[in-house]
Amino acid sequence: MPGDTRSWGTTEWEDHVQLLLKRKYRVPGTYQHVPDTNGDHGIEGYAIDGTAYQCYSAQNWTDSKSLYEKQRNKMTDDIGKFIANATELVRLLGSVKIKIWNFVVPYYSNKEILKHAKVKENLVRNTKLAHADKDFTVSVITEDDFLVERQELANAGLSSFDVSLQKVPQETLDKWLQSANNVSLVSNLNSKALQIVGSDSGPKLTKFRLGVVRNYINGDNRLIAKLT
């Protein structure tokens, strides 16, 4: 299932995601954190490319159904704010039109939340908001979409993850990179690695990619150990 089931406090999760986003959009001025003073209006940050982010960490959920219900209700509330606060959002965003509204959660396990996202996506499109692109989309993402940024936080000592790692065989790394289930993750990793290490780095680029995958697999292994 996408993400990590470990417990996050509501503000702790948002703070963590903001750190990830500020590494994803490393060029100053390309990402804007939106403080929630007087309400967040359905976004907690946006990039100049039209991508918006809203964070949510469900509390006290007990199973897939209860997690889905909490996430569904939160998404409904936040998209409602995104619509209701149109005038204020136009002032806030200026010429930026939101193309993708990302609902950033630690973990999700029920595909119904993806169906609900499409319902809300169509609602926004049909409302024809001045601050939303005509092809507005709603996506559900987790920290899995920030592999490189997560590793950067760990390297900088800013991550709350336990980074004591076990050795991962080369064969396991190769299988992970070649798995059809990881195509989008590998594509994102390759893109970010080129930005950080550079295309002419050769062995250094390979070492960086394998290091990120090794740490990711270790994280999954620790999670499995806690659940068994």
Side-chain angles (χ1 to χ4, degrees), residues 87-142:
T87 300
E88 189 66 23
L89 282 167
V90 168
R91 294 174 182 167
L92 175 69
L93 297 168
S95 62
V96 175
K97 288 183 178 287
I98 300 304
K99 299 176 182 178
I100 303 174
W101 187 89
N102 283 319
F103 190 57
V104 193
V105 298
Y107 173 80
Y108 67 93
S109 59
N110 191 324
K111 64 180 176 294
E112 293 303 314
I113 192 62
L114 304 180
K115 295 179 182 178
H116 188 65
K118 296 301 116 179
V119 171
K120 295 304 168 184
E121 175 181 298
N122 289 328
L123 173 62
V124 171
R125 288 186 183 185
N126 292 336
T127 307
K128 302 185 185 305
L129 300 167
H131 60 287
D133 189 82
K134 63 182 179 61
D135 296 321
F136 178 88
T137 60
V138 174
S139 296
V140 182
I141 65 174
T142 70

Side-chain angles (χ1 to χ4, degrees), residues 2-226:
D4 183 340
T5 60
R6 76 191 185 102
S7 177
W8 287 89
T10 301
T11 57
E12 179 190 15
W13 175 244
E14 181 185 348
D15 290 345
H16 181 65
V17 173
Q18 291 294 344
L19 288 174
L20 294 171
L21 290 171
K22 288 167 185 175
R23 278 157 179 75
K24 178 178 177 65
Y25 299 98
R26 60 187 64 245
V27 177
T30 57
Y31 174 74
Q32 180 63 60
H33 178 196
V34 180
D36 60 3
T37 307
N38 299 322
D40 57 29
H41 301 335
I43 63 171
E44 290 168 341
Y46 70 92
I48 59 173
D49 63 4
T51 307
Y53 297 87
Q54 183 73 350
C55 310
Y56 177 60
S57 176
Q59 304 297 300
N60 304 316
W61 57 275
T62 56
D63 53 30
S64 177
K65 182 175 182 293
S66 65
L67 176 61
Y68 159 65
E69 290 173 347
K70 288 175 181 289
Q71 291 175 337
R72 177 199 63 199
N73 293 343
K74 176 63 172 172
M75 182 185 289
T76 297
D77 289 346
D78 287 336
I79 289 293
K81 294 175 185 177
F82 185 79
I83 294 172
N85 292 283
T87 300
E88 189 66 23
L89 282 167
V90 168
R91 294 174 182 167
L92 175 69
L93 297 168
S95 62
V96 175
K97 288 183 178 287
I98 300 304
K99 299 176 182 178
I100 303 174
W101 187 89
N102 283 319
F103 190 57
V104 193
V105 298
Y107 173 80
Y108 67 93
S109 59
N110 191 324
K111 64 180 176 294
E112 293 303 314
I113 192 62
L114 304 180
K115 295 179 182 178
H116 188 65
K118 296 301 116 179
V119 171
K120 295 304 168 184
E121 175 181 298
N122 289 328
L123 173 62
V124 171
R125 288 186 183 185
N126 292 336
T127 307
K128 302 185 185 305
L129 300 167
H131 60 287
D133 189 82
K134 63 182 179 61
D135 296 321
F136 178 88
T137 60
V138 174
S139 296
V140 182
I141 65 174
T142 70
E143 197 182 37
D144 288 355
D145 294 272
F146 302 96
L147 283 176
V148 171
E149 292 81 6
R150 179 174 71 174
Q151 183 59 37
E152 288 181 354
L153 289 185
N155 290 343
L158 298 174
S159 173
S160 57
F161 281 96
D162 173 12
V163 293
S164 58
L165 304 176
Q166 301 298 317
K167 184 175 181 180
V168 179
Q170 183 65 43
E171 181 182 359
T172 301
L173 297 174
D174 292 339
K175 285 182 178 179
W176 191 95
L177 287 165
Q178 295 166 11
S179 171
N181 294 328
N182 299 325
V183 171
S184 62
L185 293 176
V186 172
S187 176
N188 185 44
L189 170 60
N190 289 340
S191 175
K192 294 295 184 181
L194 285 171
Q195 292 177 33
I196 295 170
V197 181
S199 58
D200 298 326
S201 301
K204 186 177 179 182
L205 181 65
T206 299
K207 182 179 179 181
F208 180 85
R209 290 172 70 248
L210 292 177
V212 172
V213 174
R214 183 179 295 108
N215 292 344
Y216 180 76
I217 291 173
N218 264 281
D220 276 357
N221 288 341
R222 286 195 298 276
L223 174 61
I224 292 169
K226 290 179 182 178

